[in-house]
C-alpha cells in the first residue's frame, strides 16, 4: 500500500485523482484530502476513500464538515495552517493541485518530505521556481509533472538523455477564440471564453486557455522542470488536442505522446510511476481523426505567450508578477469589470511597472505576488471605466 495525499481534492484535477484512487482502493491508503470550501464534496470523498484526515481551507465550513463526517474515523481540520500541516504529513505520493499562489506553501511542505510530488500547481514553479527546485534538491524529492503537456514531454523523455534533446514542443488547443478576430475578442463575454472546445476545466484555467496565458505559464514551467532555456521550448497550436507534447532530438527524431483529452491519463502516469496503471479513460481512435492540424501561435492576437517569454528571460520575480497580475485580471474579467483583451493589457502594465526584482526566498516571492495583485487591482477599475 502506498500512502497518498491529495491537495486540492475538490477541484477538477483533485476529483479526477480521487476517481483513480477509487478504482484502485487496494493499492493506496489516503492520508489526507485537502479542499477549498466545498465541505459536502470533501466529506463524500473522505468517506469513499476512508481518508485519515479531511481539511478545508475555508474555516467557516468546519462545523459543516465535522457534522458530515460524524461517526467516521476521519479527522477534521480547517484553515490555512491546517492545509500546510496536512501537506507536510509523510506520504509516498502527493498530488499538489491547489491552484494559484495559495498552493505555494502547501506544495513546498509536501516537497520537504522527500518523496514523489505530482505537480499540478503551475505557480509552484512559475512563481517560486528557484525556491521550489532548491527544496526538491535538498529533500531528494521527485517532481512528476501532471499538466498534460509537461507529462507528455516527460514520457517522451523516457530515456532521460537530456544532452541529446534539441528542443521540446508544447501543444495548445487554441481555445475558443482560435479563429476569432481582434474585434470579436474585444467584445467576448465570460460565457464565450469559458467554452473550451476540447477540455473540461475550471473557470480560471479555461480563461487562461482562451487568452493563452495558460500556455505562457507552461513555457515557464517547462523551463524549470526540464532545465531548458526559453529558446528551446516551442509552442504549436493543435486544435484536435491529440498530440500533447513532443521532444525533438539532435539526431532528427521527433517523439510525441498522444492520448484522449482526459486528465486521468497524466494523473495515472504520475500516480503509478515508475510503473503504469489501468484506467477507464477513453482510448484514442486515430481513425476518427481525418487530419491533425498544427500552426504557429499568433502572438499579435494572443500576447500572453510573448509576455511569459519576457518574464522567463527577465528572471527574478518577473514570472511571479505576471502570474499574480493575471489571476487578478482573470477574476475581474469573470466579474465583467474588464474586457477579455484587457487581461493581457493589465498584466503587461503591471510587469512594466514592477520589473524583475530579486526573489530568492518564498517570503520575497509572496511579497512581489502581493505587490502585483495590488497594482492589478488598481488598474481594473480604470479599464472597466
Amino acid at each position: 500500500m502506498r500512502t497518498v495525499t491529495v491537495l486540492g481534492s475538490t477541484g477538477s484535477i483533485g476529483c479526477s485523482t480521487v476517481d483513480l484512487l477509487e478504482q484502485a482502493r487496494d493499492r493506496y491508503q489516503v492520508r489526507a484530502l485537502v479542499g477549498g470550501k466545498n465541505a459536502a464534496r470533501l466529506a463524500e470523498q473522505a468517506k469513499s476513500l476512508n481518508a485519515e484526515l479531511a481539511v478545508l481551507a475555508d474555516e467557516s465550513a468546519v462545523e459543516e464538515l465535522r457534522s458530515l463526517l460524524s461517526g467516521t474515523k476521519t479527522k477534521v481540520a480547517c484553515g490555512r495552517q491546517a492545509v500546510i500541516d496536512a501537506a507536510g504529513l509523510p506520504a509516498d505520493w502527493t498530488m499538489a493541485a491547489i491552484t494559484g499562489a495559495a498552493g505555494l506553501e502547501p506544495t513546498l511542505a509536501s516537497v520537504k518530505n522527500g518523496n514523489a510530488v505530482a505537480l499540478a500547481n503551475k505557480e509552484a514553479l512559475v512563481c517560486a521556481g528557484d525556491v521550489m527546485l532548491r527544496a526538491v534538491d535538498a529533500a531528494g524529492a521527485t517532481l512528476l509533472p501532471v499538466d498534460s503537456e509537461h507529462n507528455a514531454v516527460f514520457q517522451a523523455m523516457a530515456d532521460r538523455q537530456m544532452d541529446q534533446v534539441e528542443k521540446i514542443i508544447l501543444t495548445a488547443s487554441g481555445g475558443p477564440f482560435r479563429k476569432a478576430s481582434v474585434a470579436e475578442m474585444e467584445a467576448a463575454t465570460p460565457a464565450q471564453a469559458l467554452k473550451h472546445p476540447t477540455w473540461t476545466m475550471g473557470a480560471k484555467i479555461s480563461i487562461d486557455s482562451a487568452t493563452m496565458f495558460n500556455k505562457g505559464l507552461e513555457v515557464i514551467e517547462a523551463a524549470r522542470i526540464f532545465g531548458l532555456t526559453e529558446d528551446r521550448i516551442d509552442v504549436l497550436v493543435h486544435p484536435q488536442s491529440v498530440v500533447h507534447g513532443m521532444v525533438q532530438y539532435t539526431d532528427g527524431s521527433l517523439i510525441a505522446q498522444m492520448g484522449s483529452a482526459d486528465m486521468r491519463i497524466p494523473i495515472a502516469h504520475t500516480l503509478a510511476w515508475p510503473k503504469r496503471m489501468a484506467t477507464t479513460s477513453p482510448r484514442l481512435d486515430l481513425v476518427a481523426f481525418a487530419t491533425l492540424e498544427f500552426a504557429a501561435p499568433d502572438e499579435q492576437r494572443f500576447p500572453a505567450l510573448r509576455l511569459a517569454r519576457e518574464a522567463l528571460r527577465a528572471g527574478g520575480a518577473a514570472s511571479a508578477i505576471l502570474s499574480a497580475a493575471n489571476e487578478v485580471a482573470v477574476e475581474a474579467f469573470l466579474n465583467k469589470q474588464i474586457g477579455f483583451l484587457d487581461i493581457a493589457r493589465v498584466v503587461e502594465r503591471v510587469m512594466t511597472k514592477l520589473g524583475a526584482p530579486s526573489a530568492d526566498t518564498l517570503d520575497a516571492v509572496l511579497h512581489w505576488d502581493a505587490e502585483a495583485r495590488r497594482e492589478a487591482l488598481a488598474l481594473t477599475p480604470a479599464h472597466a471605466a
Side-chain angles (χ1 to χ4, degrees):
M1 294 281 283
R2 295 180 72 193
T3 54
V4 302
T5 287
V6 183
L7 308 178
S9 71
T10 57
S12 174
I13 295 294
C15 287
S16 292
T17 305
V18 167
D19 179 63
L20 290 168
L21 291 170
E22 287 174 337
Q23 294 176 41
R25 297 174 191 274
D26 58 332
R27 294 171 58 186
Y28 301 99
Q29 175 189 349
V30 178
R31 297 227 60 194
L33 295 175
V34 176
K37 56 185 178 182
N38 192 333
R41 181 175 292 172
L42 182 62
E44 181 183 340
Q45 292 175 338
K47 289 177 181 176
S48 174
L49 294 173
N50 295 315
E52 296 175 24
L53 174 66
V55 180
L56 277 178
D58 184 357
E59 294 188 35
S60 67
V62 63
E63 292 307 322
E64 180 186 1
L65 183 62
R66 219 183 289 279
S67 173
L68 289 168
L69 288 174
S70 176
T72 72
K73 294 182 180 180
T74 302
K75 296 178 181 178
V76 171
C78 288
R80 177 70 181 161
Q81 190 55 50
V83 169
I84 297 170
D85 291 343
L89 290 173
D92 297 320
W93 181 91
T94 299
M95 167 57 76
I98 299 176
T99 58
L104 290 178
E105 288 179 281
T107 302
L108 193 58
S110 64
V111 162
K112 290 178 179 178
N113 283 321
N115 295 319
V117 177
L119 193 62
N121 171 287
K122 285 183 174 60
E123 289 75 14
L125 291 181
V126 170
C127 302
D130 292 340
V131 175
M132 201 65 62
L133 292 176
R134 283 201 303 270
V136 168
D137 288 341
T142 301
L143 282 186
L144 301 171
V146 172
D147 269 352
S148 59
E149 296 81 3
H150 301 103
N151 184 266
V153 170
F154 186 73
Q155 292 195 50
M157 285 182 178
D159 57 10
R160 300 293 174 264
Q161 294 186 50
M162 285 300 298
D163 60 327
Q164 303 300 313
V165 173
E166 192 171 280
K167 67 178 180 179
I168 65 173
I169 302 166
L170 308 177
T171 59
S173 70
F177 304 133
R178 180 170 61 93
K179 295 183 177 180
S181 67
V182 171
E184 288 171 330
M185 293 165 73
E186 196 78 68
T189 66
Q192 291 171 325
L194 287 168
K195 288 183 180 178
H196 194 281
T198 309
W199 296 91
T200 300
M201 306 177 291
K204 166 64 165 57
I205 194 170
S206 294
I207 301 302
D208 280 351
S209 178
T211 61
M212 290 196 74
F213 262 109
N214 190 48
K215 208 53 51 178
L217 296 175
E218 287 174 8
V219 168
I220 298 171
E221 189 179 5
R224 312 277 197 240
I225 293 172
F226 303 112
L228 298 172
T229 51
E230 174 263 332
D231 59 305
R232 294 172 66 194
I233 305 169
D234 281 356
V235 173
L236 286 178
V237 175
H238 170 50
Q240 290 80 23
S241 296
V242 169
V243 177
H244 302 298
M246 295 173 267
V247 178
Q248 177 79 63
Y249 285 94
T250 53
D251 63 0
S253 297
L254 182 65
I255 298 181
Q257 187 271 345
M258 307 167 74
S260 59
D262 187 341
M263 281 305 299
R264 289 177 299 176
I265 295 173
I267 294 169
H269 179 257
T270 66
L271 183 57
W273 186 86
K275 297 182 179 181
R276 292 184 182 263
M277 63 186 291
T279 76
T280 57
S281 298
R283 273 35 181 177
L284 185 62
D285 180 8
L286 287 175
V287 176
F289 294 92
T291 60
L292 297 180
E293 303 170 60
F294 298 92
D298 182 347
E299 293 191 6
Q300 296 298 315
R301 288 186 303 132
F302 299 96
L305 274 176
R306 170 179 59 81
L307 295 174
R309 290 187 183 278
E310 288 175 4
L312 181 54
R313 289 193 296 267
S319 295
I321 289 166
L322 172 140
S323 178
N326 179 58
E327 278 192 45
V328 171
V330 168
E331 188 67 23
F333 170 67
L334 288 170
N335 291 330
K336 300 183 179 180
Q337 295 172 313
I338 63 173
F340 179 75
L341 293 182
D342 289 330
I343 296 172
R345 292 170 186 147
V346 167
V347 173
E348 186 160 21
R349 289 180 64 179
V350 173
M351 289 175 64
T352 300
K353 182 167 185 177
L354 297 183
S358 175
D360 293 332
T361 65
L362 186 58
D363 285 344
V365 169
L366 294 173
H367 167 77
W368 288 110
D369 175 274
E371 286 294 309
R373 289 172 192 276
R374 273 193 286 271
E375 292 292 340
L377 282 168
L379 286 172
T380 51
H383 278 275

